[in-house]
Amino acid sequence: MKLSKAQYDEIAQFLGHVQPTRQSLRKLKEKFPSQSQSTLLSIFSQEYQKQIKRTHAKHHTAEAIETYYQRYLNGVMKNAAAPVLLDLANEVDFAPSLMARIVLERFLQEKEQAIPSKTLINSMLRDPSQIPDGVLANQVYQCTVNDCCYGPLVDCIKHAIGHEHEVLLREMLLEKNLSFIAEDQLRAKGYDKTPDFILEVPVAVEGHIIHWIESKASFGDESSHQAHLQDQFWSYWNSCDIILNCNLLIKFMTLEIVGHGRCKNSKRNILAKPY
């Protein structure tokens, strides 16, 4: 199902007035029943991430960090079982996992009298049982499991979805008998930035010639397209032509060798330098 720009704008506008909670996701589904759950969740996640990026700096000032840490300490002193960090994150409209990171880093800094490494912080967020304080470990756990858009659990889900979509795309290409070169094959040959699949014979889709396919496990709004253009897509423009030209030259050279009977059935790699 295609989503028009007007429909997307309506969804984005609605999301600007709700908090990033599971309850809001249910409201979103009720408001736009014709859209799939996965589409709404993807838009929900991206719009929230935009909001977090806009407000990220104000939550990381020295004053804000100290305020959050003292509020955490006061809160757990009154009731250690209450979701203090989660409630605090929702109150200041900040991602729970990111709030947990701020407080955890401040706690370790006070305990060790040194700034903790990012590796240590990430490890403790993935496995809160490593945190040397049972109350804080429970608070961090509550934040990570209740965060819809950030944190180690969300990262694992996104990675799994991305891999699943690549597998499905490969199966679709094979089903359509389209000849392609996969990203893992290109990386094995030493290429750096490559799309997921390069079509050895381009195809036409709705009047457009398709040379390569890049699968993204996210909604393709205008800002994400612009970001991907700068970070990845423009680099594919020339590199894909070079790769295809090299591949065609290698095939031609291999056929020529076999044709002259000098190296039949040889699996030797032939390197071709593009000019």
Side-chain angles (χ1 to χ4, degrees):
M1 178 184 294
K2 290 185 178 181
L3 186 70
S4 69
K5 179 65 166 56
Q7 289 174 315
Y8 168 76
D9 288 339
E10 186 180 1
I11 295 172
Q13 185 177 12
F14 176 81
L15 288 174
H17 302 288
V18 298
Q19 286 192 323
T21 63
R22 288 183 173 84
Q23 290 75 18
S24 296
L25 276 175
R26 284 195 285 270
K27 293 179 182 178
L28 187 63
K29 182 61 179 175
E30 292 171 359
K31 178 72 173 177
F32 303 97
S34 63
Q35 302 301 329
S36 70
Q37 178 86 6
S38 59
T39 297
L40 293 175
L41 178 58
S42 185
I43 297 174
F44 176 92
S45 178
Q46 286 191 195
E47 289 301 311
Y48 183 58
Q49 287 173 19
K50 291 178 189 176
Q51 176 186 331
I52 291 297
K53 288 177 181 178
R54 288 193 297 267
T55 62
H56 187 270
K58 77 174 186 178
H59 295 291
H60 285 79
T61 64
E63 182 181 359
I65 291 172
E66 193 60 32
T67 298
Y68 296 155
Y69 186 58
Q70 293 303 322
R71 288 192 60 180
Y72 157 73
L73 292 177
N74 294 334
V76 296
M77 189 178 297
K78 295 176 182 177
N79 185 358
V84 176
L85 276 185
L86 183 60
D87 289 345
L88 176 58
N90 290 332
E91 179 186 329
V92 300
D93 202 12
F94 198 47
S97 289
L98 299 183
M99 178 62 75
R101 175 183 285 273
I102 287 175
V103 173
L104 175 59
E105 186 172 351
R106 176 65 179 81
F107 166 81
L108 292 174
Q109 186 174 350
E110 183 177 86
K111 181 179 177 61
E112 304 296 336
Q113 294 300 307
I115 298 176
S117 67
K118 288 185 178 180
T119 301
L120 178 62
I121 295 292
N122 291 336
S123 179
M124 288 183 173
L125 288 173
R126 286 193 297 268
D127 180 11
S129 66
Q130 298 178 25
I131 299 173
D133 181 280
V135 174
L136 180 56
N138 182 51
Q139 294 286 329
V140 169
Y141 174 76
Q142 290 177 8
C143 285
T144 56
V145 299
N146 285 285
D147 198 322
C148 301
C149 303
Y150 284 92
L153 294 180
V154 173
D155 290 341
C156 288
I157 292 171
K158 286 182 178 179
H159 179 76
I161 292 175
H163 180 68
E164 178 188 9
H165 285 191
E166 287 182 19
V167 171
L168 292 173
L169 180 55
R170 180 189 292 268
E171 291 177 353
M172 290 174 65
L173 293 173
L174 291 172
E175 182 183 338
K176 299 295 183 181
N177 292 320
L178 296 175
S179 180
F180 61 85
I181 310 172
E183 183 179 22
D184 53 353
Q185 295 173 287
L186 295 168
R187 292 197 180 278
K189 294 179 179 180
Y191 293 102
D192 183 16
K193 286 190 174 183
T194 64
D196 291 327
F197 299 96
I198 292 180
L199 302 180
E200 294 191 286
V201 179
V203 298
V205 177
E206 297 184 357
H208 300 281
I209 303 300
I210 308 301
H211 294 264
W212 49 266
I213 303 172
E214 175 74 19
S215 174
K216 294 291 183 186
S218 59
F219 185 81
D221 62 359
E222 290 182 355
S223 60
S224 64
H225 275 309
Q226 287 299 321
H228 291 143
L229 275 170
Q230 297 300 323
D231 295 340
Q232 292 178 280
F233 298 161
W234 288 130
S235 65
Y236 299 163
W237 187 275
N238 291 322
S239 62
C240 289
D241 287 339
I242 292 172
I243 291 168
L244 286 173
N245 289 337
C246 286
N247 196 49
L248 290 171
L249 182 55
I250 290 169
K251 286 184 177 181
F252 173 78
M253 293 170 68
T254 304
L255 287 171
E256 187 178 69
I257 290 172
V258 173
H260 283 77
R262 294 197 301 269
C263 195
K264 193 172 183 180
N265 296 327
S266 171
K267 295 183 179 179
R268 177 170 64 90
N269 289 326
I270 302 172
L271 300 178
K273 182 179 179 182
Y275 293 96

Coordinates of all heavy atoms in Angstrom, one line a residue, residues 14 27 32 36 42 47 49 53 92 98-99 119 124 140 144 154 161 167 181 186 201 206 213 240 244 253 257 263:
F14 N -0.1 14.4 13.9 CA -0.8 13.8 15.1 C 0.2 13.4 16.1 O 0.0 13.5 17.3 CB -1.6 12.6 14.6 CG -2.2 11.8 15.7 CD1 -3.4 12.2 16.3 CD2 -1.6 10.6 16.2 CE1 -4.0 11.5 17.3 CE2 -2.2 9.9 17.2 CZ -3.4 10.3 17.8
K27 N -3.3 4.6 20.2 CA -4.1 5.7 19.7 C -3.9 6.0 18.2 O -4.8 6.3 17.5 CB -3.8 7.0 20.5 CG -4.2 6.9 22.0 CD -3.8 8.2 22.7 CE -4.2 8.1 24.2 NZ -3.7 9.4 24.9
F32 N -5.6 5.9 12.6 CA -5.3 5.6 11.2 C -5.4 4.1 10.9 O -4.4 3.4 10.7 CB -3.9 6.1 10.8 CG -3.7 7.6 11.0 CD1 -3.1 8.0 12.2 CD2 -4.1 8.5 10.1 CE1 -2.9 9.4 12.4 CE2 -4.0 9.8 10.3 CZ -3.4 10.3 11.4
S36 N -0.8 0.0 8.1 CA -0.3 -1.2 8.8 C 0.4 -0.8 10.1 O 0.9 0.3 10.2 CB 0.6 -2.0 7.9 OG 1.8 -1.2 7.7
S42 N 7.1 2.6 12.3 CA 8.3 3.1 11.7 C 8.2 4.6 11.7 O 9.2 5.3 12.0 CB 8.5 2.6 10.3 OG 9.7 3.0 9.7
E47 N 9.8 10.0 13.8 CA 9.4 11.3 14.2 C 9.8 11.6 15.7 O 10.3 12.7 16.0 CB 7.8 11.5 14.2 CG 7.3 11.5 12.8 CD 7.8 12.7 12.0 OE1 7.8 13.8 12.5 OE2 8.3 12.5 10.8
Q49 N 12.5 10.3 17.1 CA 14.0 10.4 17.0 C 14.3 11.9 16.6 O 15.3 12.4 17.1 CB 14.6 9.4 16.1 CG 14.6 8.0 16.7 CD 15.1 6.9 15.8 OE1 15.7 7.2 14.8 NE2 14.7 5.7 16.1
K53 N 16.5 14.5 18.9 CA 17.7 15.2 18.4 C 17.6 16.7 18.6 O 18.6 17.3 18.9 CB 17.9 14.8 16.9 CG 18.4 13.4 16.6 CD 18.5 13.1 15.1 CE 18.9 11.7 14.9 NZ 19.0 11.3 13.5
V92 N 9.9 14.7 31.6 CA 10.7 15.7 30.8 C 10.7 15.5 29.3 O 11.4 16.1 28.6 CB 12.1 15.8 31.4 CG1 12.1 16.2 32.8 CG2 12.8 14.5 31.2
L98 N 17.8 6.8 27.2 CA 18.7 7.8 27.2 C 18.8 8.5 28.6 O 19.9 8.9 29.1 CB 18.4 8.9 26.2 CG 18.4 8.4 24.7 CD1 18.2 9.6 23.8 CD2 19.7 7.7 24.4
M99 N 17.7 8.5 29.3 CA 17.7 9.0 30.7 C 18.4 8.0 31.6 O 19.2 8.4 32.5 CB 16.2 9.1 31.2 CG 16.1 9.6 32.7 SD 16.8 11.2 33.0 CE 15.6 12.2 32.2
T119 N 32.1 1.9 26.4 CA 32.0 0.5 26.3 C 31.4 -0.1 27.5 O 30.5 -1.0 27.5 CB 33.4 -0.1 26.1 OG1 34.0 0.4 24.9 CG2 33.3 -1.7 26.0
M124 N 26.6 -2.3 30.4 CA 25.7 -2.3 31.5 C 24.2 -2.1 31.1 O 23.3 -2.6 31.7 CB 26.1 -1.3 32.5 CG 27.3 -1.7 33.3 SD 27.8 -0.4 34.6 CE 29.1 -1.3 35.4
V140 N 17.2 0.9 35.5 CA 17.7 0.9 34.1 C 16.9 -0.1 33.3 O 16.6 0.1 32.2 CB 19.2 0.6 34.1 CG1 19.7 0.3 32.7 CG2 20.0 1.8 34.7
T144 N 14.8 0.4 29.8 CA 15.1 -0.2 28.5 C 13.9 -1.1 27.9 O 13.7 -1.1 26.7 CB 16.4 -1.1 28.6 OG1 16.2 -2.1 29.6 CG2 17.6 -0.3 28.9
V154 N 15.7 -2.2 21.4 CA 15.2 -1.7 20.1 C 16.3 -1.9 19.0 O 16.0 -2.2 17.8 CB 14.9 -0.2 20.3 CG1 14.6 0.5 18.9 CG2 13.7 0.0 21.2
I161 N 15.1 -7.0 12.0 CA 14.2 -6.6 10.9 C 14.9 -6.3 9.6 O 14.5 -6.7 8.5 CB 13.3 -5.4 11.3 CG1 12.3 -5.8 12.4 CG2 12.5 -4.9 10.1 CD1 11.5 -4.6 13.0
V167 N 16.9 -10.7 3.4 CA 16.6 -12.1 3.0 C 15.4 -12.2 2.1 O 15.4 -12.9 1.1 CB 16.4 -13.0 4.3 CG1 16.0 -14.4 3.9 CG2 17.7 -13.1 5.1
I181 N 24.4 -9.1 -7.9 CA 25.6 -9.3 -7.0 C 25.3 -8.7 -5.7 O 24.8 -7.6 -5.5 CB 26.8 -8.5 -7.6 CG1 27.0 -8.7 -9.1 CG2 28.1 -8.8 -6.8 CD1 28.1 -7.8 -9.7
L186 N 30.4 -8.3 -2.8 CA 31.2 -7.1 -3.2 C 32.2 -6.8 -2.1 O 33.4 -6.4 -2.4 CB 30.2 -5.9 -3.3 CG 29.3 -6.1 -4.5 CD1 28.2 -5.0 -4.4 CD2 30.0 -6.0 -5.8
V201 N 21.8 -7.0 -14.8 CA 21.0 -6.4 -15.9 C 19.9 -5.5 -15.3 O 19.0 -6.0 -14.7 CB 20.3 -7.6 -16.7 CG1 19.5 -7.0 -17.9 CG2 21.4 -8.6 -17.2
E206 N 8.0 1.1 -13.2 CA 7.2 2.3 -13.4 C 7.9 3.4 -14.1 O 7.9 4.6 -13.7 CB 6.7 2.8 -12.0 CG 5.8 1.8 -11.2 CD 5.4 2.3 -9.9 OE1 5.8 3.5 -9.5 OE2 4.6 1.6 -9.2
I213 N 19.7 -1.9 -5.6 CA 18.7 -1.8 -4.6 C 19.3 -1.8 -3.2 O 20.2 -2.5 -2.9 CB 17.8 -3.1 -4.6 CG1 17.1 -3.2 -6.0 CG2 16.7 -3.0 -3.5 CD1 16.4 -4.5 -6.2
C240 N 28.9 1.7 -8.6 CA 28.2 0.6 -9.2 C 28.5 0.4 -10.7 O 28.6 -0.7 -11.2 CB 26.7 0.9 -9.0 SG 26.1 0.7 -7.3
L244 N 30.1 -3.0 -12.2 CA 29.5 -3.7 -13.3 C 30.4 -3.8 -14.4 O 30.5 -4.9 -15.1 CB 28.2 -3.0 -13.7 CG 27.0 -3.2 -12.7 CD1 25.8 -2.4 -13.1 CD2 26.6 -4.7 -12.6
M253 N 36.9 -11.8 -20.2 CA 38.2 -12.4 -20.1 C 38.2 -13.8 -19.8 O 38.9 -14.6 -20.4 CB 39.1 -11.6 -19.1 CG 39.4 -10.2 -19.4 SD 40.2 -9.3 -18.1 CE 41.8 -10.1 -18.0
I257 N 39.5 -16.9 -22.3 CA 40.5 -17.9 -21.9 C 39.9 -19.3 -22.2 O 40.6 -20.2 -22.7 CB 40.8 -17.8 -20.4 CG1 41.6 -16.5 -20.2 CG2 41.6 -18.9 -19.9 CD1 41.8 -16.1 -18.7
C263 N 42.7 -22.5 -20.3 CA 42.5 -22.5 -18.9 C 41.0 -22.9 -18.6 O 40.4 -22.3 -17.8 CB 42.8 -21.2 -18.3 SG 43.0 -21.2 -16.5

